[in-house]
Amino acid sequence: MSEQVRDRKSYDPALSQERWQKFWAEDQTFKPLDDGSRERRYVLDMFPYPSGDLHMGHAEAFVMGDVVARYWRLKGYDVLHPIGWDSFGLPAENAAIKRNAHPAEWTYANIETQATSFRRYGLSFDWSTRLHTSDTDYYKWTQWLFNRFYERGLAYRKNSFVNWCPSCQTVLANEQVVQGLCERCSATVTKRQLNQWYFRITDYADRLLDDMQLLEGHWPDRVLAMQRNWIGRSEGAYVDFVIEGRDEPVTVFTTRPDTLFGATFFVVAPEAALADEIVSDEQRAEFEAYLENTKKATEIERQSTERPKTGVFLGVHAINPVNGERIPVWAADYVLADYGTGAVMAVPAHDQRDLDFAKTFELPVRMVVDTGEPDPAQTFIATAGDGTYVNSGELNGLADKVSGVSRIIESLESKGEGRGAITFRLRDWLLSRQRFWGCPIPIIHCPSCGEVPVPDDQLPVELPDLRGAALQPKGTSPLAGPEARAWREVACPKCGGNAERDTDTMDTFVDSSWYFFRYCSPGFDGGPFDPEDVRRWMPVAQYVGGVEHAILHLLYMRFFTKVLHDMGMVDFIEPMEKLLNQGQVINQGKAMSKSLGNGVDLGEQIDKFGVDAIRTTVVFAGPPEEDIDWADLSPSATVRFLQRSLRVAQDVASEPGVDPAAGDVALRRVTHQTVNELNQLLDSQRFNVAVARLMELVNATRKTIDTGAGAADPAVREAAEALTLGLSLFAPYVAEDMWEELGHRPSVANATWPTVDEKLLVNESVTCVVQVKGKVRAKLPVSPDIGEDELKELALADANVQRSLDGRAIRQVIVRAPKLVSIVPV
Ligand code: ANZ
Ligand code: ZN
């Protein structure tokens, strides 16, 4: 049969995009019903920073979430799929300084550009819930939340050494320091002593760790591993050491209290207050010189095992509580001021760092655990394993670490010289920033009342109108500069006296720690969100975003959720049930970058191939979590696939609603098997394979139209409709065109996903009787359309048939497919 001759519209992505974008907007196709008639599901993409127009990375990230949202919608769920912008932040401020403008101008212009591109890209967002974190009606509630944290003792200010980026001219959270460098600009981070605001996330360390059980199997393993590592739980003990000439004992944290008899010296972090307090007069000058040097080293350098050990004797001794030994106290930069207690008991025999130090400064090494390995005092290789305790008083002869540790802890506890303890690597979250374009911290500093939170009814504390040079970083916040004086100087809300606003702004990670709640209650002005709305929609069923947020954002937002839970505002403890980390789009094996000149412009690609082809190409390229190399992909092949799909829909020659039961069974089987597989593939997020199945369905349908039952067969319509629904997840524009060609009213997004007819999944089989010399020797289940040769081969291979032939040659085989094979031996 030749191709149907019919007047068909050719594939025109640009026309289709324009038309359906308009339709979706007017129809509000993607606004949830929220009437309880359908089960609700919340699909969320990590919201973008408005850095410029969308790029290839956005194209990948957002299409994955969109596939999930569109699939669930077709499956009958009421889907919330919102969009907004994380719109405070440094790049806007830097742009404003350069252009002598206000950061808001750059920010909101970029947001409009991105919004237009998102619409064009066919993302099924509910635009009515759109938010921007830099809007006053958003950051008012960021401030309100700060006040709640403050009341609960979860926001506090302290003076300490903090990470300072000399190029961004602001402090950084530990999470923002990557291998000693500023996460944003890669400048070497130094330490500065400053009075800064913190969130007491350490109060939640154990819950952040324990509740990960709920995420196991639903979040990528590597994200959970990174969070676990970052929280860094250590079990051990605090041990109190008396320092000669000082009343108060000094406590150390150790994971190996069982090695206490091997502690031959004591080390304090040089910048810990303790070092300065205990250093002897003779050693002070040397110590101070050393301290100056320490400040130049990064944390990574300090912990590196490669780096030669440095240190200075402090001229005092500590007393080992288990044996009364006097051990020298040193300051050394391999001990960090902000971990544990900033002081360690050094056990050189069993800790390599301590051993390196002992070697350098010729301090004694005493083995207390005999592991069978050579003596560390000879080899300078510390032995960290299990063994038998020696030189260890009451522990001598014991052979396992668990009892060794618990015996020592018991003994320390009974004498009041120590206790079992758990510590965490996690530090409190340093949230204040000395930059302008962020949410002002709603605190007023009053000379007589101290810190006074701005009363809720006076929120928001709006940013003043600073622009251009006034935003130039000077080491303090622009809000502390002369241009902001009128803004800064206020009456104390408590006593009415002269007071000043806090001049720092919040880290933008504060803004992004609660935006997903706000989407449930857009415009709500009784709080950050209405708990009722959140109860209906949350937790988020599917969160999608890059693995670069594995620690920072994903840890912070989990912390916020737990605090809100404790405040009684939400009734769950984990906000994101499932997490998908999409891969990156690279080009020629490398990340796209300006300097390499291998960038691929998303807008250009869309102009050339159309949105559907780009979306489908990106999805088809591989599993969602893997990186895809643009150089390996062929959007033009995808265009041909979409053209073929459209043509199939155009060729269908039966009426909508026709009963498929009478249609061609072979094609019906392909259709139902495809839908069945799509269900499994989409549920397990193997989207790339789902696209491949749709390609096969197009081929099977085309074959039936051209060389089989023909375009009027009801099975062809059934196949074309299933194809259209499946395709609508990836290529929403052409799917709307196809749906219309098939005689349906838009939108295909709100159609119903096909149900699978189980009967069509099993390939029916018939029984074939095999006779040898007229006697039935076998009954074989075979396909009704089995070929004669295949059937003959099958019959002759049967074991019973072979046995009855007993090696005799065959004279004749009569085949009546599919029911009978008759064999006549000689
Ligand atoms: C004695 C000892 C003996 C240690 C031994 C280890 C092995 P984690 O596991 O990471 O929690 N330590 C404690 N505070 C420190 C600080 N501020 N800077 C650098 N090191 C510090 O590490 C805990 C161990 O790291 C502690 O146990 C302490 O050394 C060291 F055979 O105490 B240990
Ligand atoms: Zn006051």
Side-chain angles (χ1 to χ4, degrees):
M1 209 180 295
S2 66
E3 279 227 348
Q4 303 276 319
V5 188
R6 239 179 83 177
D7 182 23
R8 298 182 303 198
K9 272 178 261 163
S10 58
Y11 180 56
D12 185 345
L15 199 72
S16 172
Q17 283 162 208
E18 200 188 304
R19 177 162 170 234
W20 294 114
Q21 245 181 81
K22 196 156 164 266
F23 176 86
W24 293 331
E26 281 166 9
D27 179 56
Q28 297 202 301
T29 308
F30 308 113
K31 197 174 161 56
L33 304 170
D34 201 11
D35 61 1
S37 63
R38 293 162 164 232
E39 196 185 315
R40 295 179 178 86
R41 283 213 179 161
Y42 185 172
V43 182
L44 182 64
D45 307 282
M46 288 183 187
F47 66 166
Y49 178 78
S51 50
D53 201 352
L54 299 187
H55 51 68
M56 235 42 218
H58 292 115
E60 157 132 44
F62 285 92
V63 76
M64 298 306 170
D66 202 50
V67 168
V68 175
R70 287 177 178 273
Y71 173 56
W72 283 349
R73 210 174 277 116
L74 290 176
K75 280 272 184 172
Y77 295 100
D78 198 14
V79 173
L80 173 62
H81 186 208
I83 184 67
W85 277 268
D86 188 13
S87 51
F88 271 137
L90 259 188
E93 198 164 329
N94 292 337
I97 294 167
K98 219 189 259 167
R99 298 161 198 215
N100 194 29
H102 192 281
E105 292 167 23
W106 184 89
T107 303
Y108 287 95
N110 282 351
I111 288 176
E112 279 325 309
T113 306
Q114 290 195 348
T116 304
S117 294
F118 273 140
R119 288 199 167 93
R120 182 180 184 213
Y121 199 54
L123 298 170
S124 60
F125 291 137
D126 170 14
W127 287 90
S128 70
T129 61
R130 169 176 179 171
L131 61 80
H132 316 119
T133 58
S134 56
D135 288 352
T136 48
D137 71 351
Y138 184 89
Y139 74 73
K140 166 179 178 173
W141 299 112
T142 308
Q143 293 172 338
W144 184 93
L145 285 166
F146 180 94
N147 279 352
R148 302 290 84 75
F149 278 52
Y150 185 82
E151 285 162 9
R152 303 176 76 81
L154 292 172
Y156 68 96
R157 210 155 74 123
K158 79 169 177 202
N159 206 332
S160 72
F161 281 95
V162 295
N163 302 308
W164 175 261
C165 174
S167 136
C168 295
Q169 293 274 306
T170 184
V171 301
L172 301 172
N174 284 347
E175 289 83 348
Q176 288 165 322
V177 182
V178 181
Q179 308 210 314
L181 307 178
C182 170
E183 169 206 51
R184 184 182 301 281
C185 74
S186 296
T188 300
V189 174
T190 57
K191 293 276 180 184
R192 257 199 175 195
Q193 192 160 18
L194 287 169
N195 207 358
Q196 296 291 312
W197 285 98
Y198 293 82
F199 280 144
R200 211 179 289 281
I201 190 172
T202 52
D203 271 12
Y204 285 74
D206 45 1
R207 285 167 65 185
L208 287 165
L209 199 64
D210 295 345
D211 296 346
M212 265 192 265
Q213 281 171 16
L214 297 171
L215 308 177
E216 214 80 57
H218 308 288
W219 278 35
D221 288 339
R222 70 171 164 166
V223 172
L224 297 179
M226 284 164 86
Q227 292 217 354
R228 213 169 268 128
N229 194 29
W230 187 261
I231 297 166
R233 185 179 188 276
S234 282
E235 254 177 77
Y238 285 125
V239 184
D240 303 328
F241 281 74
V242 170
I243 307 244
E244 286 177 354
R246 184 187 150 98
D247 296 337
E248 250 178 275
V250 173
T251 304
V252 300
F253 174 72
T254 174
T255 46
R256 296 292 306 270
D258 57 320
T259 63
L260 195 45
F261 286 90
T264 52
F265 56 99
F266 192 99
V267 191
V268 182
E271 71 272 47
L274 177 68
D276 185 70
E277 280 165 37
I278 62 177
V279 63
S280 69
D281 293 342
E282 305 86 79
Q283 291 297 99
R284 176 163 293 279
E286 204 185 323
F287 163 70
E288 281 175 358
Y290 182 66
L291 177 62
E292 265 323 296
N293 269 322
T294 308
K295 288 184 186 160
K296 293 180 195 142
T298 66
E299 204 138 308
I300 294 292
E301 282 165 1
R302 290 176 60 165
Q303 285 179 291
S304 158
T305 46
E306 251 86 282
R307 193 161 160 266
K309 293 281 176 292
T310 58
V312 53
F313 177 49
L314 292 180
V316 290
H317 286 81
I319 309 295
N320 186 335
V322 290
N323 55 15
E325 252 174 40
R326 288 180 82 228
I327 58 177
V329 180
W330 288 67
D333 68 2
Y334 77 96
V335 173
L336 307 173
D338 62 358
Y339 185 66
T341 61
V344 306
M345 61 180 228
V347 184
H350 306 296
D351 183 303
Q352 193 62 47
R353 297 162 297 182
D354 296 342
L355 186 55
D356 294 341
F357 192 83
K359 189 179 175 190
T360 308
F361 295 100
E362 296 178 354
L363 294 159
V365 178
R366 183 192 308 141
M367 181 169 90
V368 291
V369 183
D370 184 359
T371 63
E373 292 154 284
D375 187 348
Q378 310 296 320
T379 60
F380 291 106
I381 299 167
T383 57
D386 265 22
T388 308
Y389 292 98
V390 293
N391 303 319
S392 291
E394 51 190 300
L395 294 188
N396 283 342
L398 255 185
D400 77 298
K401 191 164 133 189
V402 177
S403 356
V405 168
S406 60
R407 282 268 284 275
I408 280 285
I409 290 178
E410 268 169 43
S411 142
L412 289 168
E413 282 177 352
S414 71
K415 290 184 281 177
E417 289 170 339
R419 61 221 157 274
I422 292 165
T423 60
F424 294 90
R425 206 172 84 90
L426 184 69
R427 300 285 75 133
D428 277 342
W429 170 9
L430 198 173
L431 70 108
S432 42
R433 296 290 178 274
Q434 291 67 51
R435 299 301 302 254
F436 170 76
W437 189 232
C439 174
I441 292 175
I443 293 283
I444 291 166
H445 299 281
C446 168
S448 36
C449 311
E451 287 165 4
V452 183
V454 175
D456 287 351
D457 60 8
Q458 289 168 35
L459 298 179
V461 176
E462 284 192 49
L463 285 167
D465 185 14
L466 297 193
R467 51 184 60 230
L471 304 176
Q472 195 71 49
K474 300 168 198 82
T476 51
S477 170
L479 294 174
E483 296 88 348
R485 166 162 292 147
W487 173 85
R488 194 165 61 241
E489 292 178 350
V490 288
C492 166
K494 251 193 200 159
C495 71
N498 290 341
E500 285 204 356
R501 291 193 188 282
D502 198 285
T503 54
D504 285 349
T505 54
M506 297 185 214
D507 179 6
T508 57
F509 280 109
V510 181
D511 310 327
S512 57
S513 288
W514 71 277
Y515 75 110
F516 41 91
F517 295 112
R518 183 73 181 169
Y519 281 139
C520 300
S521 291
F524 183 63
D525 63 2
F529 55 86
D530 182 343
E532 272 311 312
D533 294 333
V534 164
R535 198 160 297 136
R536 283 200 313 285
W537 287 106
M538 287 195 70
V540 169
Q542 178 69 63
Y543 198 27
V544 182
V547 72
E548 66 273 19
H549 294 296
I551 298 175
L552 293 148
H553 164 60
L554 291 175
L555 194 65
Y556 293 153
M557 62 98 191
R558 293 181 60 219
F559 163 59
F560 258 63
T561 303
K562 290 173 201 303
V563 175
L564 288 166
H565 175 264
D566 293 352
M567 289 167 60
M569 288 182 70
V570 304
D571 52 14
F572 44 87
I573 53 177
E574 286 294 336
M576 311 294 171
E577 272 170 0
K578 271 181 86 179
L579 173 67
L580 171 67
N581 288 142
Q582 84 286 348
Q584 288 185 341
V585 186
I586 59 175
N587 193 21
Q588 295 148 341
K590 298 207 179 70
M592 294 188 193
S593 81
K594 273 200 191 114
S595 56
L596 288 176
N598 66 343
V600 176
D601 186 83
L602 176 62
E604 277 171 24
Q605 296 295 315
I606 289 177
D607 289 342
K608 201 160 157 200
F609 301 105
V611 167
D612 286 341
I614 298 305
R615 287 177 51 127
T616 309
T617 300
V618 165
V619 174
F620 185 51
E625 53 286 332
E626 274 171 31
D627 289 354
I628 59 179
D629 194 327
W630 195 253
D632 299 340
L633 308 182
S634 171
S636 51
T638 314
V639 171
R640 287 194 296 277
F641 159 58
L642 298 176
Q643 282 167 336
R644 282 165 63 75
S645 302
L646 177 62
R647 234 176 287 135
V648 161
Q650 288 169 331
D651 284 354
V652 170
S654 57
E655 290 306 307
V658 64
D659 183 4
D664 179 67
V665 180
L667 181 60
R668 292 206 70 203
R669 282 213 192 95
V670 175
T671 303
H672 284 260
Q673 279 162 3
T674 303
V675 174
N676 188 48
E677 272 196 80
L678 287 181
N679 286 334
Q680 294 161 13
L681 292 166
L682 295 166
D683 287 338
S684 57
Q685 303 184 333
R686 283 176 291 160
F687 306 140
N688 55 323
V689 189
V691 174
R693 292 290 169 274
L694 291 173
M695 291 174 172
E696 288 161 15
L697 181 58
V698 172
N699 293 343
T701 316
R702 171 49 59 201
K703 202 169 145 203
T704 307
I705 295 173
D706 290 351
T707 60
D713 190 281
V716 169
R717 167 168 288 277
E718 187 181 39
E721 293 190 349
L723 169 68
T724 307
L725 290 164
L727 206 54
S728 74
L729 314 185
F730 313 105
Y733 289 112
V734 74
E736 293 285 15
D737 288 334
M738 289 165 68
W739 199 238
E740 197 175 45
E741 293 278 359
L742 288 165
H744 296 293
R745 286 169 46 82
S747 160
V748 67
N750 290 322
T752 307
W753 188 253
T755 41
V756 173
D757 183 344
E758 299 284 333
K759 288 200 293 292
L760 290 166
L761 295 185
V762 278
N763 267 319
E764 277 172 53
S765 67
V766 292
T767 305
C768 172
V769 172
V770 186
Q771 295 175 339
V772 178
K773 247 176 126 181
K775 278 208 178 107
V776 176
R777 294 296 180 185
K779 287 179 174 174
L780 306 173
V782 297
S783 154
D785 34 336
I786 191 165
E788 295 212 333
D789 292 344
E790 199 186 333
L791 188 57
K792 181 177 162 186
E793 219 172 285
L794 214 65
L796 286 171
D798 183 82
N800 279 332
V801 171
Q802 281 298 323
R803 208 170 305 130
S804 66
L805 283 172
D806 198 22
R808 283 173 290 176
I810 293 163
R811 194 166 67 201
Q812 196 187 5
V813 181
I814 303 155
V815 183
R816 299 270 176 276
K819 295 246 165 96
L820 179 78
V821 178
S822 180
I823 304 169
V824 186
V826 282

